Amino acid sequence: MAAKRLKIAILDDYQRASEPYFAKFKEQHDIAHFPDTLLPYDGVDTPQSVKDALVKRLEPFNVISTVRERTPFPAELVSRLPNLQLLLTQGRRNLALDLDAFKARSIPVVTAVHAQAPGENTVESTTEHIVAMTLALARNIAEDDAGLKAGIWQGGLCTSLSGKTLGIVGLGRLGGAAARIFHVAFGMKVIAWSQNLTQDAADEQAARLKLPVSDADGEKTLKAVSREELFGTADVVSLHIVLSSRTRGLVTAKDLGLMKPSALFVNTSRGPLVVEQDLLDTLKAGKIRGAALDVFWQEPLPLDSEWRSSGWGRDGRSHLLVTPHTGYVEEESINGFYEQAANDVEAWISGKPLGPRLA
């Protein structure tokens, strides 16, 4: 049963997009916004002082709204929040939440899921970002924009993607959507690998994407290959797999060392899928043409991080394009998340049924 006067915390809302939706609770309840993310409370590597700081911040609150995966809630943290009665999140899954810990305390975990607009060719915001980052890296968009504003005219050469080979690591929903766009729009050959991918599964994905399984010469449209062949022959390698204990650190120096000097590496999935130092060493040595990253090993990215350096693309270093994990940060979906979250709080206070739940 909800307390008469609730304490509600809104975490990790960098743009403060939640404010207009939660404003209706201000008169009867206490609302606090924490747009700065504290270091993750992972229960293993986080210093005790950081854990205590996060607990001190969150302990008073009955309702917490958290953005998917920005602030992890392991069992240890959940157990230290005695006043918590409702957690709000987004997405079909949130691997940063220990759902068993919430269930053990009968704390509902309600999730807001973005309703994708219907249409055969409609793609998700993250898919758009994957395509945009890959094209921007290949065409030197960010570097040329910065150079032009600094007085430079045509500072370097770009590269074309047309007819080249795209290597997809993880041929799921997002990987398949990206593969379809690059194949249809740019005539790229698509090869794919993941730990369990078979050619039959790749053929089924092609059919789901309304692509021919094979071309007139019998060549597979989505061709399942070995890990070594993918990294060794692709002109663009793009990651599209879920982070788990099985996939953490999946991509190593061995894989990156197989890539062609002209190749591009794109990661819009999760930073820890790659061994960070291995990727840094590869790019600092200029062993591949460049990388585009939307995700990092620590988020928000520390101000002193090497990834923030302005030296990329110079003195033998690879080109680097970075964005602050904005693949899904699109106005319609983010506003929709907070509108649903506020509606769920209202329903919970009134004792009405809640929206989709993870726990």
Side-chain angles (χ1 to χ4, degrees):
M1 195 72 178
K4 288 184 179 180
R5 187 170 184 87
L6 295 170
K7 292 184 179 295
I8 303 173
I10 314 295
L11 307 186
D12 309 322
D13 176 14
Y14 302 144
Q15 295 85 12
R16 299 184 79 95
S18 61
E19 290 186 349
Y21 301 101
F22 280 81
K24 60 186 174 183
F25 300 114
K26 282 186 175 180
E27 288 188 8
Q28 295 182 322
H29 305 287
D30 300 323
I31 313 292
H33 293 267
F34 299 102
D36 61 314
T37 299
L38 293 180
L39 285 172
Y41 189 130
D42 60 16
V44 179
D45 299 322
T46 308
Q48 189 63 45
S49 60
V50 176
K51 295 181 182 182
D52 293 341
L54 185 58
V55 170
K56 183 178 180 181
R57 168 181 284 187
L58 301 183
E59 191 274 336
F61 294 99
N62 311 111
V63 177
I64 296 175
S65 171
T66 181
V67 178
R68 185 181 63 189
E69 298 180 6
R70 290 182 184 172
T71 296
F73 279 77
E76 184 184 351
L77 176 58
V78 177
S79 70
R80 296 182 66 185
L81 302 178
N83 298 306
L84 184 59
Q85 298 174 314
L86 175 68
L87 189 88
L88 307 163
T89 187
Q90 306 97 28
R92 295 177 180 86
R93 61 173 175 256
N94 186 342
L95 300 181
L97 306 180
D98 189 319
L99 297 179
D100 289 337
F102 286 98
K103 290 175 183 176
R105 289 188 50 197
S106 300
I107 299 171
V109 177
V110 185
T111 189
V113 180
H114 177 54
Q116 188 71 29
E120 180 180 341
N121 294 313
T122 300
V123 299
E124 297 181 39
S125 172
T126 302
T127 304
E128 292 184 3
H129 202 73
I130 294 162
V131 175
M133 289 200 77
T134 306
L135 288 173
L137 177 64
R139 305 299 304 187
N140 291 348
I141 298 296
E143 288 186 24
D144 284 349
D145 174 75
L148 191 60
K149 291 170 181 174
I152 299 170
W153 185 260
Q154 293 196 12
L157 300 174
C158 65
T159 188
S160 175
L161 298 180
S162 182
K164 293 186 177 177
T165 300
L166 172 66
I168 295 286
V169 178
L171 193 61
R173 188 182 79 258
L174 293 174
R180 180 177 185 271
I181 291 170
F182 282 111
H183 175 72
V184 173
F186 300 98
M188 295 190 78
K189 300 174 184 178
V190 181
I191 58 177
W193 172 83
S194 65
Q195 291 157 317
N196 296 314
L197 182 67
T198 64
Q199 188 58 57
D200 285 345
D203 290 346
E204 290 172 6
Q205 181 68 303
R208 279 194 293 270
L209 295 167
K210 295 183 169 52
L211 293 172
V213 172
S214 303
D215 63 18
D217 297 324
E219 185 74 17
K220 293 293 186 180
T221 301
L222 304 180
K223 183 180 179 183
V225 298
S226 69
R227 180 173 180 162
E228 292 75 17
E229 183 176 349
L230 184 137
F231 281 94
T233 62
D235 297 292
V236 178
V237 173
S238 189
L239 304 189
H240 304 281
I241 49 180
V242 175
L243 178 64
S244 67
S245 58
R246 185 185 182 200
T247 60
R248 185 177 294 272
L250 178 70
V251 178
T252 68
K254 180 180 179 181
D255 302 305
L256 299 169
L258 294 173
M259 294 178 68
K260 297 187 286 188
S262 58
L264 305 176
F265 181 81
V266 181
N267 187 5
T268 56
S269 293
R270 293 294 182 271
L273 293 170
V274 188
V275 177
E276 182 178 23
Q277 193 60 52
D278 289 355
L279 183 57
L280 269 171
D281 290 345
T282 297
L283 298 178
K284 286 162 73 173
K287 293 182 179 179
I288 62 175
R289 180 182 178 91
L293 307 176
D294 185 46
V295 289
F296 301 91
W297 294 257
Q298 181 180 327
E299 297 180 8
L301 198 60
L303 293 177
D304 61 353
S305 169
E306 289 191 77
W307 299 113
R308 290 182 181 266
S309 168
S310 60
W312 294 108
R314 304 174 190 170
D315 302 321
R317 289 186 169 204
S318 302
H319 298 277
L320 179 67
L321 176 68
V322 289
T323 52
H325 203 158
T326 50
Y328 70 100
V329 183
E330 180 267 331
E331 57 185 351
E332 183 178 343
S333 60
I334 295 299
N335 283 312
F337 287 152
Y338 284 120
E339 182 178 17
Q340 290 181 60
N343 289 341
D344 279 319
V345 172
E346 198 167 38
W348 182 68
I349 291 171
S350 303
K352 295 178 180 177
L354 296 168
R357 292 175 58 168
L358 298 180

